[in-house]
Amino acid sequence: MASNTLTPQDCDSQIMNSQFYKDVIAGLGSTPKHLDSKYFYDAAGDKLFQDLMSCDEYYPTNCEMEIFTSQTAEICEAMMGNGDAFDLIELGAGDATKSSHLLRYLIDNKADFSYMPIDISDNVISLLNITLPVTLPGINITGLNGEYFDMLKKAAAMSNRRKVVMFLGSNIGNMPVADAQEFAKELRRHLSPGDMVFVGIDLKKSPKTVLAAYNDSEGITKQFNLNLLHRINRELHGNFNIDNFDHYAVYDPETGACRSYLISLTQQEVMVGDKLIHFEKDEYIFMEISQKYTMAQTEEMAIQAGFKATAHFTDSKNWFTDAVWLAV
Ligand code: AVI
């Protein structure tokens, strides 16, 4: 007789068929070991990232916020172009704190637009669909839950209005340079001439400033990285002893790559599901890249992908840019 109750075996097979499990096992089974930073963001990871964003040493959020609050009109005018209707699409919208400044200005200035946040989290989209009409009365919002490019296709099928795609917060920096370039090309393939991308990119600066942001004195970044091991324990029947790992970040001023690692403090064996993972003492797990660019490199990336960089907005310290790329 069919039953709705899941047996322990059903639970195990659900876990082992999950993409999270497959990626973790593949990453920890590789040499060198690595984990994908997209898995940082469970509920605890989201909270740690919020804490990080309000920590003094983590500058990117404050820089981008300064750009949005001090140059709201100029940014919105660039997005509005000649005043024709447009779809404002945000990739990885989160709680839309930053974009809210722009949305408020656009609504107050009677711009003809609809806001389409895209996020992989169903929760995020449901929440935005409920909260934004309250905090921003008059907003026309259609939240899209799914992978970026699938949802961009869906947005294109829903209307033939001009598209303005926002990709904020230096999220593009969490890809190696070649992947970021490929991502920009793929973005261009989903757009038409006249469409626009508004992309937040962290710029090269004093190596000490960059490193401090990824090695903060309160240890929030460390907890943020270690949380992925907690998450593996919680969700994949792992038995990581978290105290046996330390966080290590390096910044290379030559390439602009800031990399985070977890270091095994001892020789140890860890179970994840039914897999045994061996760690040598001092062996590392590569966790994340946060790539920094020169302004010239950002413009080159735009050109290579089939865009023209028409403007860039920077904060007063010139640490961060929100660039406007026009599809040509
Ligand atoms: C989300 N992303 C742009 C952050 C960054 O700066 O790379 C994630 C982060 N990792 C450690 N600190 C912040």
Side-chain angles (χ1 to χ4, degrees):
M1 198 173 83
S3 155
N4 287 332
T5 317
L6 288 178
T7 64
Q9 289 79 5
D10 291 335
C11 291
D12 286 349
S13 81
Q14 265 187 17
I15 289 169
M16 288 196 233
N17 284 322
S18 70
Q19 197 55 47
F20 181 31
Y21 178 80
K22 289 177 189 161
D23 290 347
V24 166
I25 295 304
L28 295 182
S30 304
T31 311
K33 292 181 171 56
H34 57 89
L35 288 170
D36 190 331
S37 62
K38 76 176 179 202
Y39 293 117
F40 282 0
Y41 304 92
D42 66 344
D46 284 348
K47 166 78 177 65
L48 285 162
F49 189 50
Q50 291 291 335
D51 295 346
L52 195 53
M53 286 193 292
S54 47
C55 129
D56 285 344
E57 289 140 304
Y58 188 73
Y59 61 82
T61 309
N62 290 340
C63 290
E64 196 171 41
M65 208 56 160
E66 184 203 313
I67 294 171
F68 282 15
T69 50
S70 65
Q71 301 172 75
T72 323
E74 292 84 345
I75 294 169
C76 291
E77 297 301 329
M79 287 179 171
M80 289 192 288
N82 60 12
D84 55 348
F86 64 101
D87 293 328
L88 182 57
I89 300 172
E90 181 167 5
L91 305 182
D95 63 3
T97 309
K98 281 183 232 164
S99 36
S100 290
H101 289 278
L102 307 181
L103 297 173
R104 186 163 291 117
Y105 182 97
L106 291 169
I107 294 167
D108 290 349
N109 287 276
K110 314 263 179 298
D112 186 1
F113 78 107
S114 62
Y115 176 55
M116 296 179 157
I118 297 180
D119 207 287
I120 194 71
S121 158
D122 186 20
N123 266 342
V124 162
I125 294 302
S126 310
L127 209 64
L128 288 176
N129 277 332
I130 296 168
T131 55
L132 283 194
V134 178
T135 52
L136 296 169
I139 193 162
N140 177 357
I141 174 172
T142 307
L144 299 171
N145 168 221
E147 296 280 347
Y148 293 162
F149 292 121
D150 293 342
M151 292 305 107
L152 272 180
K153 254 187 225 150
K154 195 165 173 183
M158 286 165 77
S159 97
N160 54 10
R161 289 187 294 203
R162 188 167 64 87
K163 306 279 182 262
V164 177
V165 176
M166 294 191 288
F167 192 41
L168 307 179
S170 183
N171 284 321
I172 198 162
N174 295 133
M175 303 173 204
V177 175
D179 293 11
Q181 182 67 74
E182 197 37 56
F183 180 86
K185 285 185 181 161
E186 184 67 12
L187 203 48
R188 175 63 189 84
R189 284 194 275 272
H190 284 78
L191 298 175
S192 305
D195 289 346
M196 196 180 266
V197 172
F198 188 76
V199 56
I201 303 174
D202 197 12
L203 298 172
K204 282 190 174 180
K205 59 187 65 61
S206 155
K208 288 183 181 167
T209 303
V210 175
L211 190 57
Y214 295 87
N215 193 27
D216 62 288
S217 49
E218 285 175 70
I220 305 171
T221 316
K222 175 177 173 172
Q223 295 310 320
F224 184 53
N225 279 262
L226 287 173
N227 179 57
L228 183 44
L229 304 189
H230 280 297
R231 183 176 182 189
I232 293 170
N233 283 353
R234 279 192 297 266
E235 295 181 23
L236 304 180
H237 294 176
N239 70 351
F240 275 102
N241 179 346
I242 311 300
D243 294 339
N244 283 349
F245 291 85
D246 196 11
H247 166 250
Y248 181 72
V250 277
Y251 176 63
D252 178 356
E254 210 174 323
T255 61
C258 186
R259 293 170 188 275
S260 297
Y261 301 89
L262 287 178
I263 311 293
S264 174
L265 296 175
T266 176
Q267 183 178 332
Q268 54 185 319
E269 314 278 352
V270 176
M271 288 299 290
V272 177
D274 61 350
K275 296 276 188 299
L276 182 73
I277 319 279
H278 176 84
F279 287 88
E280 289 297 328
K281 181 177 183 306
D282 299 327
E283 188 177 349
Y284 65 86
I285 313 173
F286 169 61
M287 301 296 283
E288 183 179 49
I289 184 166
S290 297
Q291 180 67 40
K292 314 303 170 195
Y293 291 91
T294 63
M295 194 66 88
Q297 285 171 323
T298 73
E299 289 179 4
E300 187 54 31
M301 190 189 306
I303 293 166
Q304 291 298 322
F307 294 101
K308 184 171 178 227
T310 54
H312 55 253
F313 299 92
T314 52
D315 61 294
S316 49
K317 297 198 214 67
N318 279 320
W319 282 1
F320 196 96
T321 186
D322 280 293
V324 179
W325 294 353
L326 187 69
V328 287

